[in-house]
Amino acid sequence: MAQRLFRMEGTRTAMRLLLINPRLPESWWSSRWAIGILPGKRALNPPLGLATLAALCPADWQVEIIDENVEDIPSAPDVDIVGICGMGVQFPRQRELLGNYRKRGYYVLAGGSYASLCPERYTGLANTVIAGEAEYIFPQFCRDFEQHTPKALYRETGTVALADSPVPRFDLLKLDRYVYASLQFSRGCPFRCEFCDIIVMFGRKPRVKTLEQVGRELDELRRLGARSVFFVDDNLIGNLPVAKKLLQFLKEYQEKHRYWFSLGTEASLNMAQHPDLLALFRSANFSWVFIGIESTDPESLKETLKIQNLHEDILTSVRRIYAYGIEVLAGFIVGFDHDTEACFEQQYQFITEAGIQSAMIGLLTALPKTPLYARLRKEGRLNTSDEVNDMTQLSTNVIPKGMSYEALVEGYIDLYRRLLQDSEIALRIRNKLRHLAAPNYRSVYRAHEALGIVARLVWRGILPGGLRRVGRFVSTLPLRHPSAMATVISEWVVALSMRDFAERRLAAHVRTRQLLQLSSQTSGAHT
Ligand code: SF4
């Protein structure tokens, strides 16, 4: 075992590092059914953090990246270090892998956003923990490891300048297996949403890469053949003047390279207040944006300090974004203190009128280290489970105020059930198309691939729903506006993917509830 931990002194050869992204549990975000419809795809996004880590290694280190979401992991790799990253939702699998490799004598390294937020959870799990942004502390670990003096914890306590971030080793990712390639321009967000852990990790002053860095990353992605790029920034417009410069740069880049990339990102809803910004988004070829809408109730938005959503009626904002040909994917939350059982109907009405197909609804969850977590702990309103890291689970660690816990979960399930009926899917598509300008982007799929997607959608998704679903599908086909056809197809793919997950997930919940009822009746009979 000891030989694996460190090579013999005086036998210096290149270090070998294996970086692993653990399997993600299935959730509303994983889009498993949709990915099966797309040619050759196995997951949404590659592990960008690991590609950045690989670029920070000494030039002579041999690095391999394995993503368990798209390939099998090796049980006995010939390496000196195994590094395993993870977000909160991956923690159980990350912990399992760290334990497995450590038991086999490997030097194991833990990192990722959860290790950054809660390094104390990794005590005894890894030889070394990398907590925080890696640009300065990871090269320090590499130097120490080469000298056989690695520490147990490397924690970034200062501020990382993103100008010091290298071009990620995109070449180590199997990019063709992902729906999107990922690129990060900024870290940090100026807002103060109470439930958000991003600002706990990255701070409220957005830091950005230079435009030259972005250009180099795009050049590398283009060289590797990637066409769809997701700017994974938590809020691309956190610094508005800088965001405009970036978009102007992207517009010129796209013109020069004949609109090679189709782009998407996450941004705050106040983007709708800046028509010049929206025009730039469109000319830079952004086809979609994910926005945290959370609630349409002003009292709930004020409660959670989401003040950037209070500028105007939210439906007006969404339709203004549609008017620039940009689709809106959105996150919603139920269970704020101001939410009563009426919130489910309000969410339904808004999502329907706005025509939002990718509506990621979650139960308010207190993530560790957030202001919400601190407040609820003080109020004695936290359930004891510390493992809650995904807002779209069917449970939460928050004890609700405006309704019972059971009413919250049941209302949530009913809301999804209602939204995922065929007639509702079709209605949302029609409501969106009424306001969505013709998209500006060109398909990243070749003609035969696009035909294959349509064929698989019809065969696996539309026909199994019987004549009724076929009728709903046909009613949404934009025969007079063929340019909207790709939008309609992708809306059905997204909706049926959510429905596929919901059917399995909700059915499992109902079964568990029945079992619990049965067991409480049985134990009641014994006492
Ligand atoms: S806008 Fe998004 S990233 Fe910014 S604080 Fe709110 S939830 Fe966090």
mmCIF file of all heavy atoms in Angstrom, residues 269-296:
data_model
loop_
_atom_site.group_PDB
_atom_site.id
_atom_site.type_symbol
_atom_site.label_atom_id
_atom_site.label_comp_id
_atom_site.label_asym_id
_atom_site.label_seq_id
_atom_site.Cartn_x
_atom_site.Cartn_y
_atom_site.Cartn_z
ATOM 1 N N LEU A 269 -32.949 37.932 -14.089
ATOM 2 C CA LEU A 269 -34.097 38.405 -14.858
ATOM 3 C C LEU A 269 -33.987 39.882 -15.260
ATOM 4 O O LEU A 269 -34.606 40.305 -16.240
ATOM 5 C CB LEU A 269 -35.371 38.190 -14.019
ATOM 6 C CG LEU A 269 -36.705 38.488 -14.687
ATOM 7 C CD1 LEU A 269 -36.924 37.604 -15.911
ATOM 8 C CD2 LEU A 269 -37.860 38.304 -13.698
ATOM 9 N N ASN A 270 -33.176 40.630 -14.553
ATOM 10 C CA ASN A 270 -33.044 42.052 -14.914
ATOM 11 C C ASN A 270 -32.426 42.240 -16.291
ATOM 12 O O ASN A 270 -32.365 43.369 -16.792
ATOM 13 C CB ASN A 270 -32.250 42.807 -13.849
ATOM 14 C CG ASN A 270 -30.878 42.231 -13.599
ATOM 15 O OD1 ASN A 270 -30.750 41.016 -13.444
ATOM 16 N ND2 ASN A 270 -29.861 43.059 -13.576
ATOM 17 N N MET A 271 -31.981 41.165 -16.944
ATOM 18 C CA MET A 271 -31.506 41.297 -18.329
ATOM 19 C C MET A 271 -32.618 41.866 -19.211
ATOM 20 O O MET A 271 -32.353 42.553 -20.199
ATOM 21 C CB MET A 271 -31.023 39.953 -18.892
ATOM 22 C CG MET A 271 -32.109 38.921 -19.131
ATOM 23 S SD MET A 271 -31.451 37.312 -19.665
ATOM 24 C CE MET A 271 -31.084 37.617 -21.396
ATOM 25 N N ALA A 272 -33.882 41.605 -18.802
ATOM 26 C CA ALA A 272 -35.019 42.071 -19.614
ATOM 27 C C ALA A 272 -35.150 43.594 -19.600
ATOM 28 O O ALA A 272 -35.834 44.169 -20.441
ATOM 29 C CB ALA A 272 -36.308 41.436 -19.105
ATOM 30 N N GLN A 273 -34.504 44.254 -18.647
ATOM 31 C CA GLN A 273 -34.606 45.725 -18.557
ATOM 32 C C GLN A 273 -33.624 46.432 -19.492
ATOM 33 O O GLN A 273 -33.559 47.650 -19.504
ATOM 34 C CB GLN A 273 -34.326 46.180 -17.106
ATOM 35 C CG GLN A 273 -35.555 46.415 -16.265
ATOM 36 C CD GLN A 273 -36.384 45.169 -16.103
ATOM 37 O OE1 GLN A 273 -35.926 44.192 -15.543
ATOM 38 N NE2 GLN A 273 -37.600 45.207 -16.590
ATOM 39 N N HIS A 274 -32.845 45.675 -20.264
ATOM 40 C CA HIS A 274 -31.785 46.289 -21.077
ATOM 41 C C HIS A 274 -31.903 45.811 -22.528
ATOM 42 O O HIS A 274 -31.235 44.842 -22.923
ATOM 43 C CB HIS A 274 -30.416 45.923 -20.504
ATOM 44 C CG HIS A 274 -30.250 46.332 -19.076
ATOM 45 N ND1 HIS A 274 -29.834 47.600 -18.708
ATOM 46 C CD2 HIS A 274 -30.490 45.664 -17.922
ATOM 47 C CE1 HIS A 274 -29.800 47.686 -17.384
ATOM 48 N NE2 HIS A 274 -30.205 46.525 -16.884
ATOM 49 N N PRO A 275 -32.698 46.494 -23.335
ATOM 50 C CA PRO A 275 -32.875 46.062 -24.720
ATOM 51 C C PRO A 275 -31.557 45.982 -25.496
ATOM 52 O O PRO A 275 -31.387 45.081 -26.331
ATOM 53 C CB PRO A 275 -33.789 47.152 -25.313
ATOM 54 C CG PRO A 275 -34.499 47.726 -24.134
ATOM 55 C CD PRO A 275 -33.559 47.627 -22.986
ATOM 56 N N ASP A 276 -30.609 46.881 -25.208
ATOM 57 C CA ASP A 276 -29.323 46.808 -25.920
ATOM 58 C C ASP A 276 -28.587 45.509 -25.581
ATOM 59 O O ASP A 276 -27.960 44.880 -26.446
ATOM 60 C CB ASP A 276 -28.459 48.041 -25.609
ATOM 61 C CG ASP A 276 -28.244 48.250 -24.107
ATOM 62 O OD1 ASP A 276 -29.074 47.763 -23.305
ATOM 63 O OD2 ASP A 276 -27.244 48.883 -23.731
ATOM 64 N N LEU A 277 -28.711 45.077 -24.332
ATOM 65 C CA LEU A 277 -28.096 43.818 -23.897
ATOM 66 C C LEU A 277 -28.774 42.635 -24.609
ATOM 67 O O LEU A 277 -28.108 41.723 -25.115
ATOM 68 C CB LEU A 277 -28.264 43.679 -22.381
ATOM 69 C CG LEU A 277 -27.602 42.496 -21.718
ATOM 70 C CD1 LEU A 277 -26.111 42.757 -21.539
ATOM 71 C CD2 LEU A 277 -28.226 42.211 -20.352
ATOM 72 N N LEU A 278 -30.096 42.679 -24.684
ATOM 73 C CA LEU A 278 -30.837 41.592 -25.336
ATOM 74 C C LEU A 278 -30.460 41.506 -26.824
ATOM 75 O O LEU A 278 -30.293 40.403 -27.366
ATOM 76 C CB LEU A 278 -32.343 41.807 -25.186
ATOM 77 C CG LEU A 278 -32.881 41.698 -23.751
ATOM 78 C CD1 LEU A 278 -34.368 42.048 -23.705
ATOM 79 C CD2 LEU A 278 -32.648 40.294 -23.196
ATOM 80 N N ALA A 279 -30.288 42.674 -27.445
ATOM 81 C CA ALA A 279 -29.910 42.672 -28.864
ATOM 82 C C ALA A 279 -28.524 42.040 -29.030
ATOM 83 O O ALA A 279 -28.280 41.299 -29.993
ATOM 84 C CB ALA A 279 -29.925 44.103 -29.394
ATOM 85 N N LEU A 280 -27.639 42.311 -28.082
ATOM 86 C CA LEU A 280 -26.299 41.721 -28.164
ATOM 87 C C LEU A 280 -26.357 40.205 -27.952
ATOM 88 O O LEU A 280 -25.662 39.444 -28.631
ATOM 89 C CB LEU A 280 -25.380 42.354 -27.114
ATOM 90 C CG LEU A 280 -24.798 43.726 -27.482
ATOM 91 C CD1 LEU A 280 -24.100 44.353 -26.281
ATOM 92 C CD2 LEU A 280 -23.809 43.601 -28.633
ATOM 93 N N PHE A 281 -27.191 39.784 -27.000
ATOM 94 C CA PHE A 281 -27.357 38.335 -26.783
ATOM 95 C C PHE A 281 -27.766 37.676 -28.103
ATOM 96 O O PHE A 281 -27.255 36.632 -28.477
ATOM 97 C CB PHE A 281 -28.439 38.067 -25.727
ATOM 98 C CG PHE A 281 -27.903 37.851 -24.334
ATOM 99 C CD1 PHE A 281 -28.086 38.806 -23.342
ATOM 100 C CD2 PHE A 281 -27.221 36.689 -24.007
ATOM 101 C CE1 PHE A 281 -27.602 38.601 -22.052
ATOM 102 C CE2 PHE A 281 -26.728 36.475 -22.718
ATOM 103 C CZ PHE A 281 -26.918 37.439 -21.747
ATOM 104 N N ARG A 282 -28.707 38.306 -28.766
ATOM 105 C CA ARG A 282 -29.208 37.720 -30.014
ATOM 106 C C ARG A 282 -28.112 37.699 -31.077
ATOM 107 O O ARG A 282 -27.893 36.683 -31.727
ATOM 108 C CB ARG A 282 -30.426 38.520 -30.505
ATOM 109 C CG ARG A 282 -31.027 37.955 -31.786
ATOM 110 C CD ARG A 282 -32.327 38.647 -32.098
ATOM 111 N NE ARG A 282 -32.850 38.306 -33.410
ATOM 112 C CZ ARG A 282 -33.555 37.222 -33.690
ATOM 113 N NH1 ARG A 282 -33.786 36.345 -32.748
ATOM 114 N NH2 ARG A 282 -34.016 37.008 -34.903
ATOM 115 N N SER A 283 -27.405 38.822 -31.224
ATOM 116 C CA SER A 283 -26.413 38.810 -32.312
ATOM 117 C C SER A 283 -25.205 37.941 -31.983
ATOM 118 O O SER A 283 -24.472 37.552 -32.885
ATOM 119 C CB SER A 283 -26.004 40.219 -32.743
ATOM 120 O OG SER A 283 -26.040 41.096 -31.685
ATOM 121 N N ALA A 284 -24.998 37.637 -30.692
ATOM 122 C CA ALA A 284 -23.908 36.707 -30.349
ATOM 123 C C ALA A 284 -24.371 35.252 -30.494
ATOM 124 O O ALA A 284 -23.603 34.327 -30.240
ATOM 125 C CB ALA A 284 -23.428 36.961 -28.932
ATOM 126 N N ASN A 285 -25.606 35.060 -30.900
ATOM 127 C CA ASN A 285 -26.166 33.724 -31.154
ATOM 128 C C ASN A 285 -26.466 32.923 -29.888
ATOM 129 O O ASN A 285 -26.248 31.713 -29.836
ATOM 130 C CB ASN A 285 -25.257 32.912 -32.077
ATOM 131 C CG ASN A 285 -26.066 32.069 -33.037
ATOM 132 O OD1 ASN A 285 -27.229 32.373 -33.307
ATOM 133 N ND2 ASN A 285 -25.468 31.008 -33.551
ATOM 134 N N PHE A 286 -26.958 33.607 -28.861
ATOM 135 C CA PHE A 286 -27.465 32.890 -27.686
ATOM 136 C C PHE A 286 -28.883 32.446 -28.018
ATOM 137 O O PHE A 286 -29.726 33.263 -28.410
ATOM 138 C CB PHE A 286 -27.477 33.794 -26.451
ATOM 139 C CG PHE A 286 -26.161 33.834 -25.741
ATOM 140 C CD1 PHE A 286 -25.146 34.668 -26.203
ATOM 141 C CD2 PHE A 286 -25.907 33.022 -24.648
ATOM 142 C CE1 PHE A 286 -23.912 34.699 -25.572
ATOM 143 C CE2 PHE A 286 -24.677 33.042 -24.011
ATOM 144 C CZ PHE A 286 -23.673 33.886 -24.468
ATOM 145 N N SER A 287 -29.158 31.162 -27.840
ATOM 146 C CA SER A 287 -30.496 30.673 -28.171
ATOM 147 C C SER A 287 -31.335 30.436 -26.931
ATOM 148 O O SER A 287 -32.543 30.309 -27.019
ATOM 149 C CB SER A 287 -30.407 29.399 -29.006
ATOM 150 O OG SER A 287 -29.631 28.444 -28.341
ATOM 151 N N TRP A 288 -30.699 30.335 -25.770
ATOM 152 C CA TRP A 288 -31.486 30.112 -24.553
ATOM 153 C C TRP A 288 -30.774 30.694 -23.343
ATOM 154 O O TRP A 288 -29.561 30.881 -23.343
ATOM 155 C CB TRP A 288 -31.769 28.627 -24.324
ATOM 156 C CG TRP A 288 -30.565 27.748 -24.202
ATOM 157 C CD1 TRP A 288 -29.935 27.067 -25.208
ATOM 158 C CD2 TRP A 288 -29.821 27.454 -23.003
ATOM 159 N NE1 TRP A 288 -28.851 26.370 -24.727
ATOM 160 C CE2 TRP A 288 -28.759 26.584 -23.369
ATOM 161 C CE3 TRP A 288 -29.932 27.819 -21.679
ATOM 162 C CZ2 TRP A 288 -27.823 26.090 -22.455
ATOM 163 C CZ3 TRP A 288 -29.003 27.330 -20.749
ATOM 164 C CH2 TRP A 288 -27.974 26.472 -21.162
ATOM 165 N N VAL A 289 -31.567 30.988 -22.325
ATOM 166 C CA VAL A 289 -31.022 31.472 -21.061
ATOM 167 C C VAL A 289 -31.820 30.852 -19.916
ATOM 168 O O VAL A 289 -33.040 30.731 -20.009
ATOM 169 C CB VAL A 289 -31.046 33.016 -21.011
ATOM 170 C CG1 VAL A 289 -32.449 33.570 -21.119
ATOM 171 C CG2 VAL A 289 -30.405 33.554 -19.729
ATOM 172 N N PHE A 290 -31.098 30.413 -18.884
ATOM 173 C CA PHE A 290 -31.771 29.892 -17.690
ATOM 174 C C PHE A 290 -31.859 31.024 -16.672
ATOM 175 O O PHE A 290 -30.852 31.671 -16.349
ATOM 176 C CB PHE A 290 -30.994 28.716 -17.086
ATOM 177 C CG PHE A 290 -31.687 28.125 -15.882
ATOM 178 C CD1 PHE A 290 -32.539 27.045 -16.018
ATOM 179 C CD2 PHE A 290 -31.522 28.679 -14.618
ATOM 180 C CE1 PHE A 290 -33.201 26.506 -14.916
ATOM 181 C CE2 PHE A 290 -32.174 28.155 -13.509
ATOM 182 C CZ PHE A 290 -33.024 27.070 -13.659
ATOM 183 N N ILE A 291 -33.071 31.258 -16.152
ATOM 184 C CA ILE A 291 -33.294 32.357 -15.209
ATOM 185 C C ILE A 291 -33.943 31.826 -13.935
ATOM 186 O O ILE A 291 -34.892 31.039 -13.997
ATOM 187 C CB ILE A 291 -34.213 33.422 -15.852
ATOM 188 C CG1 ILE A 291 -33.529 34.025 -17.082
ATOM 189 C CG2 ILE A 291 -34.552 34.532 -14.847
ATOM 190 C CD1 ILE A 291 -34.395 34.997 -17.857
ATOM 191 N N GLY A 292 -33.460 32.282 -12.804
ATOM 192 C CA GLY A 292 -34.112 31.941 -11.533
ATOM 193 C C GLY A 292 -35.289 32.871 -11.313
ATOM 194 O O GLY A 292 -35.118 34.005 -10.876
ATOM 195 N N ILE A 293 -36.483 32.405 -11.661
ATOM 196 C CA ILE A 293 -37.680 33.231 -11.455
ATOM 197 C C ILE A 293 -38.199 33.007 -10.039
ATOM 198 O O ILE A 293 -38.635 33.928 -9.372
ATOM 199 C CB ILE A 293 -38.748 32.892 -12.519
ATOM 200 C CG1 ILE A 293 -38.274 33.430 -13.884
ATOM 201 C CG2 ILE A 293 -40.115 33.502 -12.138
ATOM 202 C CD1 ILE A 293 -39.183 33.119 -15.043
ATOM 203 N N GLU A 294 -38.145 31.809 -9.587
ATOM 204 C CA GLU A 294 -38.495 31.363 -8.224
ATOM 205 C C GLU A 294 -39.975 31.517 -7.894
ATOM 206 O O GLU A 294 -40.631 30.558 -7.557
ATOM 207 C CB GLU A 294 -37.655 32.048 -7.122
ATOM 208 C CG GLU A 294 -36.210 32.399 -7.451
ATOM 209 C CD GLU A 294 -35.341 31.263 -7.940
ATOM 210 O OE1 GLU A 294 -35.833 30.154 -8.123
ATOM 211 O OE2 GLU A 294 -34.136 31.507 -8.200
ATOM 212 N N SER A 295 -40.513 32.741 -7.961
ATOM 213 C CA SER A 295 -41.913 32.944 -7.561
ATOM 214 C C SER A 295 -42.436 34.192 -8.267
ATOM 215 O O SER A 295 -41.666 35.074 -8.645
ATOM 216 C CB SER A 295 -41.956 33.153 -6.038
ATOM 217 O OG SER A 295 -43.261 33.529 -5.642
ATOM 218 N N THR A 296 -43.748 34.238 -8.437
ATOM 219 C CA THR A 296 -44.317 35.478 -8.984
ATOM 220 C C THR A 296 -44.969 36.289 -7.873
ATOM 221 O O THR A 296 -45.557 37.337 -8.139
ATOM 222 C CB THR A 296 -45.372 35.160 -10.077
ATOM 223 O OG1 THR A 296 -46.311 34.238 -9.526
ATOM 224 C CG2 THR A 296 -44.722 34.580 -11.306
#
